[in-house]
């Protein structure tokens, strides 16, 4: 194993979107337990540098695999796909229209200080996204249709952004 | 050639030798030093049995320096040269310091960090803090009776890079080998967590004399994982004193005061504040230099009213940290209270109300940070006591980024990223034929560069002339386990490479540290040369020991000739270290380091494989994603 090994092999996990997250958590802790700079505080300079590189890599790998969106993007990247390749115009008009409607609803609720409406929107959106992630899992793991998957992931990037906007709006109402 | 004892794998071959390591809580108001003795973390007391050392440094007219209780007691005699709460000045420019006009010190025009004129010369906050650290180091050396291998120094979790760098420099100036900078709330969590075998999500609320931190941690079978942190590095008990002071000035209709009187009143206000923790009413009396008398009564209700904004100011970062961690108040299993200012009843109540649970106060809020630091120092020094197989995963408190066009910041590493961490970002030129690019590193959450802290500026030169947008400059940020940043930049498209590494500008340059060290050593008996030689010898011994331990564990990873090359390099280094030629020692160290590089890689690889092999493949249920 070396520093350029992919994130899945770093934790000796199968290269797939459907991932046992608690298992990832505990493997991450195990690996950090071996490579973390605190384990090498009195080692040679070279070993300390090596440890910092490994620990940095393990952190990056964990952050990427933990969240479904970054995990999906990473898998696409490993399979030679590029989510950024096409721009939004390639996205279906329906999707873009739905997006605008969502945004308007959020803005309205925010302006009106409507906490309940924001929460409702949040829950509806995250419910919708859960279904979309299932689909991404099927496309990536079962059908290996990376073009379709890339398209779905691009949509999810929009939706994640929207979700965090609702979250921000909720937080600003709380303060 | 030396013979090696081969131990069982995992068992250290080196005889069990206890290394002397300390943890230091360098506080705004009070500092402490602790160590682990027979498996137990204890604070080291001064000759009169006191563990706290007031972080007060007084420069006498003859240039001598006094640190601690006496300096604190007499601070109103000469406030100009008696420096209190110097931590608030660490890594700060004059324009960043709140209430600087109320400080009685003589500030000297300087670029970067503020500097103060004292009878002992112009001093930076780093040098002043080093006095406090030196006093604690001397206390530790006297108590432990031996050479220290190193120290863990605590810093507020919310300290930015400049403040951290300044703290590390201060420790180096005090002659300490810094094993790690450790965040104060994390230190407290270690002390609390290990003592109580805690599991689950905990919050540490740390309100000291000058700083406020909130950290949310997850404790899982010996792993302390910081999920999010927040705070205010200029909010603490001092500000409560200041509120009382303003109230006094108003109530007693005082005219602008002389520095001596301000100090005197501030001391009275602090006493009153502490008194109100256990009493319904405090009396504030003072005779000013104008022979005016101040005599007021402050009751708990008034005190709570005039400090209410400060209390709620601490709750903002608490909310944000929880949000960053993706948690709600009721996900938190316990709230650990740290810092002397958490004794105030209004704080206890506000925190209790917010989390809807009684905060945990079954530990000494003054000592817990130092005890946690000592525990980590013990581990880092390599003293194994069996039960302490725990691991700490901490984060950076503030986002790190770069200035882009229009004075905007581009975040490169987000706040709450687990450290160590690295990230790279690519930039390009905006003019045809542009051969240099200036890079401005900033820290903070705001969109405009002007609202963030500027950490460093440097120029990448030697970019080959190309059309605008063709160059690919890759800027890499690396944050180490101390939370300290280094930045490098490199042009990628052509064969030409230019790269530079910067240390943020608020730390002292290495040659400045050397100069100050040499200046101070000029007064001492041994000179810088012998000191440097001693350091090399110690370093050589450490390297030999570490290499031998590695060989004892993992010689099977090496071919016979590789082992031979390493043992030869060890023998050469051992011979060099016995002599007094520093250059020779350093060369022999470099040789040994070179011979063991590949070995280190293989060991790391084996170690990771081993820990993962411990898990059976069929354990991996194919669970649905979250
Ligand atoms: N009984 C008390 N009631 C109220 N405040 C108290 C009490 N005891 C101490 N304090 C306050 O606690 C503060 C000092 O706390 P502490 O020693 O934890 O801070 P520090 O570690 O020096 O500072 P920091 O951690 O911010 O750098 C002072 O403002 C002091 O007045
Ligand atoms: Mg403190």
């Amino acid at each position: 194993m070396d520093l350029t090994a992919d994130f899945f092999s770093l934790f000796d996990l199968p290269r797939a979107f459907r991932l046992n997250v608690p298992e990832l958590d505990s493997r991450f802790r195990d690996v950090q337990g071996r490579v973390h700079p605190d384990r090498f505080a009195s080692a040679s300079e070279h070993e300390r540098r090596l440890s910092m590189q490994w620990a940095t890599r393990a952190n990056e790998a964990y952050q990427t695999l933990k969240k479904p969106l970054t995990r999906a993007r990473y898998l696409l990247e490993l399979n030679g796909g590029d989510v950024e390749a096409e721009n939004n115009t390639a996205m279906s008009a329906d999707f873009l229209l739905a997006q605008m409607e969502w945004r308007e609803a959020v803005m309205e609720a925010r302006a009106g200080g409507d906490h309940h409406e924001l929460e409702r929107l949040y829950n509806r959106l995250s419910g919708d996204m859960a279904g979309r992630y299932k689909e991404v899992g099927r496309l990536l793991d079962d059908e290996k249709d990376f073009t379709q998957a890339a398209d779905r992931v691009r949509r999810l990037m929009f939706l994640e952004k929207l979700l965090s906007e609702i979250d921000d709006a909720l937080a600003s109402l709380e303060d | 050639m030396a013979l090696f004892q081969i131990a069982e794998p995992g068992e250290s071959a080196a005889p069990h030798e206890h290394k002397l390591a300390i943890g230091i809580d360098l506080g705004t108001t009070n500092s402490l030093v602790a160590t682990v003795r027979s498996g137990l973390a204890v604070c080291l007391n001064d000759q009169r049995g006191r563990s706290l050392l007031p972080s007060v440094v007084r420069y006498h007219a003859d240039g001598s320096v006094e640190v601690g209780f006496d300096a604190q007691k007499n601070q109103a005699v000469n406030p100009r040269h008696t420096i209190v709460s110097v931590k608030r000045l660490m890594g700060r420019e004059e324009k960043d310091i709140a209430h600087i006009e109320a400080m009685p010190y003589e500030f000297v025009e300087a670029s970067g960090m503020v500097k103060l004129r004292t009878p002992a010369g112009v001093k930076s906050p780093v040098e002043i803090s080093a006095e406090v650290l030196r006093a604690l180091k001397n206390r530790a050396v006297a108590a432990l009776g031996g050479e220290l291998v190193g120290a863990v120094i605590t810093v507020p979790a919310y300290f930015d890079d400049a403040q951290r760098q300044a703290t590390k420099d201060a420790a180096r100036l005090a002659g300490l080998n810094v094993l790690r900078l450790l965040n104060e709330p994390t230190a407290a969590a270690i002390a609390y967590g290990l003592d109580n075998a805690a599991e689950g999500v905990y919050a540490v609320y740390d309100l000291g004399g000058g700083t406020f931190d909130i950290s949310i941690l997850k404790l899982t079978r010996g792993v302390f994982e910081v999920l999010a942190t927040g705070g205010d590095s200029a909010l603490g008990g001092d500000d409560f004193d200041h509120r009382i002071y303003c109230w006094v000035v108003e109530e007693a209709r005082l005219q602008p005061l002389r520095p001596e009187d301000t100090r005197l009143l501030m001391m009275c206000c602090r006493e009153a504040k502490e008194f109100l923790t256990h009493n319904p009413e405090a009396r504030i009396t003072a005779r000013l230099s104008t022979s005016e008398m101040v005599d007021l009564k402050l009751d708990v209700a008034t005190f709570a009213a005039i400090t209410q904004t400060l209390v709620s100011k601490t709750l903002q970062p608490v909310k944000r940290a929880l949000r960053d961690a993706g948690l709600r108040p009721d996900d938190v299993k316990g709230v650990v209270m740290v810092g002397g200012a958490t004794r105030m009843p209004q704080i206890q109540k506000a925190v209790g109300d917010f989390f809807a649970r009684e905060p945990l106060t079954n530990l000494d809020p003054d000592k817990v940070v130092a005890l946690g630091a000592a525990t980590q120092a013990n581990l880092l020094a390599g003293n194994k006591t069996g039960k302490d197989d725990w691991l700490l995963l901490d984060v950076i408190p503030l986002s790190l980024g770069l200035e882009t066009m229009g004075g905007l910041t581009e975040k490169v590493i987000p706040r709450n990223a687990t450290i160590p961490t690295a990230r790279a970002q690519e930039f390009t030129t905006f003019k045809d034929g542009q051969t240099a690019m200036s890079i401005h590193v900033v820290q903070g959450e705001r969109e405009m560069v002007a609202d963030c802290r500027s950490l460093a500026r440097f120029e990448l030169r030697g970019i080959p002339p190309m059309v605008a947008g063709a160059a690919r400059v890759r800027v890499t940020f690396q944050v180490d386990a101390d939370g300290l940043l280094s930045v490098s930049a490199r042009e990628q498209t052509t064969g030409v490479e230019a790269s530079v590494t910067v240390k943020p500008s608020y730390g002292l340059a290495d040659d400045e540290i050397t100069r100050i060290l040499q200046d101070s050593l000029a007064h001492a008996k041994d000179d810088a040369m012998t000191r440097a030689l001693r350091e090399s010898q110690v370093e050589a011994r450490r390297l030999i020991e570490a290499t031998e331990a590695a060989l004892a564990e993992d010689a099977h990873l090496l071919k016979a000739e590789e082992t031979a090359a390493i043992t030869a390099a060890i023998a050469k280094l051992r011979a060099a270290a016995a002599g007094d030629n520093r250059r020779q020692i350093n060369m022999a160290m470099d040789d040994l380091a070179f011979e063991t590089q590949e070995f280190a890689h293989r060991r790391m690889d084996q170690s990771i494989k081993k820990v993962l092999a411990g898990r059976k493949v069929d354990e991996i249920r194919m669970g649905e994603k979250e």
Side-chain angles (χ1 to χ4, degrees):
Chain A
M1 190 178 314
D2 62 65
L3 275 166
T4 56
D6 75 79
F7 294 159
F8 291 98
S9 16
L10 177 60
F11 297 122
D12 196 16
L13 286 165
R15 194 191 275 198
F17 179 76
R18 286 193 286 256
L19 176 88
N20 182 339
V21 175
E23 181 68 25
L24 170 70
D25 290 345
S26 73
R27 281 172 183 244
F28 164 66
R29 289 187 206 112
D30 280 354
V31 169
Q32 277 297 14
R34 292 302 176 103
V35 304
H36 195 274
D38 282 0
R39 297 280 187 257
F40 294 85
S42 33
S44 69
E45 199 187 316
H46 173 71
E47 276 179 302
R48 275 183 308 197
R49 193 165 354 104
L50 201 61
S51 136
M52 183 163 83
Q53 287 168 346
W54 272 103
T56 297
R57 182 82 179 160
N59 280 332
E60 189 190 356
Y62 180 57
Q63 288 310 322
T64 307
L65 298 189
K66 198 167 63 167
K67 284 172 262 140
L69 182 64
T70 46
R71 184 165 69 237
R73 290 184 67 171
Y74 183 64
L75 271 168
L76 285 171
E77 199 183 295
L78 286 180
N79 287 289
D82 184 359
V83 249
E84 312 273 17
E86 287 162 86
N87 52 27
N88 332 345
T89 51
M91 209 119 33
S92 80
D94 282 358
F95 180 78
L96 292 175
L97 196 67
Q99 273 288 295
M100 271 163 60
E101 280 168 9
W102 272 102
R103 275 231 146 76
E104 264 162 39
V106 173
M107 265 158 60
E108 204 170 295
R110 180 183 196 147
D114 191 342
H115 201 279
H116 280 288
E117 176 62 8
L118 282 171
E119 229 153 54
R120 202 186 60 84
L121 289 169
Y122 188 94
N123 291 335
R124 232 185 78 200
L125 184 59
S126 41
D128 174 50
M129 284 165 65
R132 288 170 186 267
Y133 276 120
K134 271 220 171 81
E135 189 191 4
V136 167
R138 208 187 61 235
L139 289 167
L140 284 172
D141 294 352
D142 306 335
E143 293 167 21
K144 317 264 178 232
D145 184 344
F146 301 116
T147 324
Q148 279 284 336
D151 174 70
R152 298 298 182 268
V153 167
R154 257 196 309 279
R155 292 173 191 216
L156 278 160
M157 283 162 64
F158 270 87
L159 299 177
E160 287 283 4
K161 187 145 179 289
L162 187 59
L163 196 69
S164 76
E165 278 169 27
I166 303 178
D167 197 41
D168 287 347
L170 276 166
S172 71
L173 286 188
E174 268 165 32
D175 288 347
Chain B
M1 195 173 65
L3 278 178
F4 298 110
Q5 305 164 309
I6 308 291
E8 287 293 315
E11 197 179 290
S12 174
H16 194 81
E17 179 203 352
H18 185 76
K19 305 231 173 62
L20 301 178
I22 54 173
I24 292 182
D25 173 1
L26 180 61
T28 309
T29 328
N30 300 302
S31 298
L32 298 92
V33 57
T35 194
V36 173
R37 252 187 199 153
S38 355
L40 210 67
V42 287
C43 287
L44 300 172
N45 296 342
D46 67 7
Q47 281 162 347
R48 294 174 51 182
R50 300 171 297 199
S51 56
L52 294 180
L53 175 75
S55 310
V56 181
V57 179
R58 179 175 181 190
Y59 292 92
H60 287 281
D62 62 0
S64 65
V65 187
E66 183 180 37
V67 180
F69 283 98
D70 290 335
Q72 184 187 42
K73 206 168 63 209
N74 299 318
Q75 57 176 295
V77 176
N78 190 355
R80 173 178 292 248
H81 297 142
T82 310
I83 323 298
V84 300
S85 301
V86 65
K87 189 169 170 180
R88 287 196 149 187
L89 309 180
M90 290 290 267
R92 285 284 170 265
E93 273 181 89
E94 220 169 310
K95 66 172 169 57
D96 307 318
I97 301 167
H99 306 304
I100 195 165
E101 65 291 341
M103 293 180 182
Y105 315 126
E106 204 179 320
F107 290 102
V108 181
E109 275 299 319
S111 68
M113 211 188 307
V114 292
K115 289 204 163 83
L116 281 59
R117 192 179 308 283
T118 76
V122 172
K123 299 284 175 189
S124 74
V126 171
E127 291 170 89
I128 300 167
S129 298
E131 297 293 349
V132 177
L133 290 168
R134 199 170 294 126
L136 292 172
K137 179 194 166 191
N138 292 342
R139 182 193 287 187
V141 169
L144 302 175
E147 207 170 326
L148 305 176
V149 299
V152 167
I153 317 283
T154 63
V155 289
Y158 212 60
F159 254 19
D160 65 27
D161 196 83
Q163 293 168 306
R164 282 169 200 268
Q165 191 69 56
T167 306
K168 194 168 183 180
D169 288 349
R172 285 167 63 200
L173 268 188
L176 289 164
N177 172 34
V178 181
L179 295 170
R180 186 73 75 235
L181 294 180
L182 175 63
N183 290 329
E184 288 162 13
T186 313
I190 291 172
Y192 177 83
L194 292 177
D195 264 8
N196 296 275
E199 292 270 311
V201 175
Y202 283 79
V204 180
Y205 180 104
D206 179 354
L207 190 65
T211 62
F212 170 63
D213 281 330
I214 175 77
S215 286
I216 314 289
L217 294 100
K218 191 160 111 198
L219 279 55
T220 323
R221 279 174 279 116
V223 180
F224 294 76
E225 190 180 353
V226 179
L227 301 177
T229 194
D232 187 333
S233 63
L235 175 61
D238 283 0
D239 299 284
F240 288 73
D241 304 349
H242 194 253
R243 283 293 153 92
I244 301 181
Y245 170 82
C246 293
W247 177 84
V248 168
V249 168
E250 208 175 290
E251 289 288 306
R253 295 177 217 288
L254 299 176
Q255 300 304 310
L257 296 168
R258 300 179 48 195
E260 290 76 7
D261 291 333
T262 302
R263 256 314 157 78
L264 182 68
L265 274 182
M266 284 292 282
M267 287 168 75
C268 295
C269 293
R270 178 164 156 194
E271 268 166 34
K273 172 191 73 177
E274 293 176 7
F275 191 76
L276 284 173
T277 290
H278 300 290
N279 301 277
E281 195 175 76
R283 201 165 151 195
I284 302 170
T285 54
R287 177 185 292 279
L288 305 182
S289 61
T290 54
S291 69
E292 209 174 337
M293 277 297 294
V294 173
D295 188 1
L296 293 166
K297 277 185 185 146
L298 176 62
D299 60 41
V300 165
T302 310
F303 178 47
I306 61 176
T307 57
Q308 200 210 325
T309 48
L310 293 176
V311 176
S312 47
K313 211 171 158 191
T314 69
L315 293 179
Q316 295 303 328
V318 175
K319 283 183 199 156
R320 201 185 71 173
L322 274 174
R323 210 162 79 80
D324 285 353
L327 298 171
R328 284 170 319 182
D330 56 2
D331 294 322
V332 173
K333 198 169 154 192
V335 187
V336 179
M337 299 292 264
V338 185
T342 59
R343 290 199 177 93
M344 285 185 285
Q346 67 263 50
I347 292 288
Q348 305 250 340
K349 180 167 184 318
V351 175
D353 287 351
F354 180 83
F355 286 100
R357 61 171 62 246
E358 283 288 300
L360 301 162
T361 47
N362 59 333
L363 32 78
D364 186 336
D366 291 327
K367 290 185 182 157
V368 63
V369 169
L371 297 175
T375 308
Q376 206 209 15
N378 190 55
L379 189 73
L380 295 185
N383 294 326
K384 297 225 166 60
T385 58
K387 69 152 197 173
D388 51 16
D389 193 26
W390 48 274
L391 176 72
L392 179 58
L393 300 171
D394 219 318
V395 301
I396 51 162
L398 293 152
S399 303
L400 292 161
L402 287 165
E403 174 169 359
T404 59
M405 299 289 284
L408 294 174
T409 44
E410 168 79 21
K411 281 186 189 154
V412 179
I413 299 183
R415 68 168 185 263
N416 294 319
T418 308
I419 51 174
T421 184
R423 217 151 297 179
Q425 196 103 320
E426 277 197 2
F427 293 86
T428 189
T429 46
F430 78 107
K431 268 198 222 135
D432 287 345
Q434 185 177 340
T435 57
M437 192 181 256
S438 79
I439 288 164
H440 184 198
V441 184
V442 296
Q443 185 162 31
E445 308 311 317
R446 305 283 292 276
E447 238 165 76
M448 301 302 295
V449 162
D451 299 323
C452 292
R453 172 154 307 278
S454 163
L455 290 180
R457 284 174 194 275
F458 66 94
E459 248 180 36
L460 178 69
R461 292 172 196 281
I463 302 173
M466 282 179 264
V467 291
R472 292 262 165 276
V473 175
R474 195 176 168 81
V475 180
T476 307
F477 281 43
Q478 170 81 59
V479 181
D480 66 14
D482 291 327
L484 291 174
L485 169 72
S486 54
V487 182
S488 61
R490 149 170 299 142
E491 204 291 314
Q492 316 247 81
T493 50
T494 59
V496 185
E497 272 191 356
S499 113
V500 57
T501 300
V502 286
K503 278 269 173 334
S505 44
Y506 284 97
L508 296 185
D510 272 346
D511 50 350
E512 200 172 344
I513 294 211
T514 316
R515 181 190 58 74
I516 300 173
L517 271 179
Q518 277 168 353
D519 282 359
S520 62
L521 284 169
H523 301 294
K525 278 186 217 80
D526 58 342
D527 65 326
M529 287 295 287
T530 39
R531 186 190 162 108
L533 173 64
R534 269 243 317 278
E535 273 173 8
S536 287
Q537 286 169 330
V538 170
E539 176 72 21
R541 245 181 285 134
R542 220 174 46 119
L543 187 61
I544 292 175
E545 216 174 275
T547 313
E548 287 183 337
L551 279 175
E553 269 175 33
D554 290 322
H556 63 275
L557 295 174
L558 295 169
K559 296 198 206 85
E561 64 268 27
E562 291 170 327
T563 312
I566 293 174
T567 47
I570 291 178
K572 223 176 81 194
L573 178 57
R574 185 171 282 130
D580 56 8
N581 185 336
R582 179 160 164 259
R583 225 173 53 90
Q584 213 168 19
I585 300 175
N586 289 347
M587 266 164 52
M589 275 200 282
D590 287 348
D591 287 350
L592 179 56
F594 178 79
E595 292 297 346
T596 52
Q597 269 187 28
E598 183 53 34
F599 186 35
H601 276 279
R602 288 183 207 161
R603 271 164 53 82
M604 193 70 94
D605 184 37
Q606 166 188 260
S607 169
I608 298 169
K609 285 206 179 110
K610 223 188 239 167
V611 67
L612 289 177
R615 309 178 150 271
K616 284 187 258 56
V617 182
D618 60 14
E619 268 174 27
I620 315 166
R621 282 173 291 102
M622 299 304 289
E624 281 293 270
K625 52 143 287 292
E626 64 266 56

